[in-house]
Amino acid sequence: MGGATSIDVTKPGIDKAYGIGKLRDTLHLSLKEMVYIGDACFQAVTTTRRKKRGLFHPVKGPDDTNLVIKTILACLGEK
């Protein structure tokens, strides 16, 4: 179950941790160069924290996500 209003249908092993790894490989980045922002990032967080890589920021919804992204961009001097 993906959430209260949706159902995620994927093959076994295809989850947020898998998606983060594919994005990392596609963009040729290390996990240390990435920030994951999301609600329910449990598997991705536990898998990656165990390896002590990556930065995760849990959020509670779209408005919270927007605020976190705008704050990060402001700290980086982006508009």
Side-chain angles (χ1 to χ4, degrees), residues 5-79:
T5 59
S6 69
I7 298 173
D8 294 341
V9 180
T10 61
K11 294 180 180 181
I14 307 297
D15 56 15
K16 290 178 182 172
Y18 174 87
I20 290 169
K22 291 297 276 186
L23 182 61
R24 174 202 61 211
D25 295 345
T26 299
L27 298 176
H28 306 288
L29 297 171
S30 71
L31 287 175
K32 292 179 182 178
E33 296 174 282
M34 299 173 70
V35 177
Y36 178 83
I37 301 166
D39 61 346
C41 53
F42 310 114
Q43 178 62 37
V45 169
T46 56
T47 299
T48 304
R49 279 192 183 156
R50 194 174 327 123
K51 296 178 182 177
K52 296 183 180 179
R53 298 181 189 167
L55 177 61
F56 294 87
H57 187 87
V59 292
K60 295 179 181 170
D63 293 335
D64 196 18
T65 303
N66 189 33
L67 177 63
V68 169
I69 292 171
K70 285 183 176 181
T71 302
I72 290 170
L73 292 176
C75 289
L76 295 174
E78 303 290 329
K79 293 184 180 182

